[in-house]
Amino acid sequence: MKEQFIPYTQALELKDLGFDEECLGSYNDRQLPYFQIQGQSINTVLAPLWQQAFDWFREKHNLYFEIFNSPMYVHGWKFRTYYIENNRLRNADVSEIFDRYEDVKLACLVKLISIVKNLKS
């Protein structure tokens, strides 16, 4: 079940970006996941589900993403990140091709984190 939660490194970065939603799981100070509904505490890092993390970017930062596989990429996956302003797609960014869905999902999350970090600086 732990694959349903984002990795520790990205969870820690989300904490630094202000993520503080109620989660089913947390990572303790040894980066080991444990599961219980709770908020942030000093010795833990919230472990959001993948969809919860992606929803947070949409709701808090107006950032959207698509993960797709098309006939052109029979053996690969891509993602696109963007935001919508005045009913128009803005700053669309398409990734390279990834062989595995798990890899493209992580790369997309890393990209969204990077975008918010750049906006804050």
Side-chain angles (χ1 to χ4, degrees):
M1 181 169 175
K2 69 180 182 176
E3 67 276 352
Q4 299 302 313
F5 296 87
I6 68 170
Y8 174 79
T9 302
Q10 285 69 39
L12 186 58
E13 289 184 284
L14 282 184
K15 179 180 180 179
D16 292 342
L17 293 176
F19 181 90
D20 192 21
E21 307 289 322
E22 194 171 80
C23 291
L24 293 172
S26 295
Y27 291 99
N28 63 21
D29 57 357
R30 295 180 312 187
Q31 303 177 15
L32 300 172
Y34 61 95
F35 306 107
Q36 64 184 36
I37 297 175
Q38 64 182 50
Q40 203 82 37
S41 71
I42 293 173
N43 295 326
T44 64
V45 174
L46 294 172
L49 298 167
W50 284 96
Q51 191 59 51
Q52 188 177 10
F54 288 133
D55 288 350
W56 183 78
F57 282 104
R58 185 188 73 246
E59 294 165 6
K60 299 292 185 192
H61 298 284
N62 198 32
L63 288 171
Y64 297 83
F65 75 98
E66 296 172 317
I67 294 176
F68 59 95
N69 178 296
S70 73
M72 291 175 30
Y73 317 114
V74 174
H75 299 291
W77 295 88
K78 284 189 166 197
F79 71 85
R80 175 183 13 245
T81 58
Y82 58 93
Y83 67 95
I84 298 174
E85 182 178 77
N86 298 326
N87 293 324
R88 292 188 172 200
L89 190 75
R90 301 284 187 198
N91 201 26
D93 188 18
V94 179
S95 74
E96 62 189 63
I97 298 173
F98 293 84
D99 292 331
R100 297 173 359 130
Y101 180 77
E102 293 76 14
D103 295 337
V104 75
K105 186 170 63 170
L106 178 58
C108 182
L109 180 61
V110 168
K111 177 67 175 182
L112 292 170
I113 290 169
S114 173
I115 292 170
V116 173
K117 280 183 178 179
N118 288 335
L119 290 174
K120 288 189 171 229
S121 57

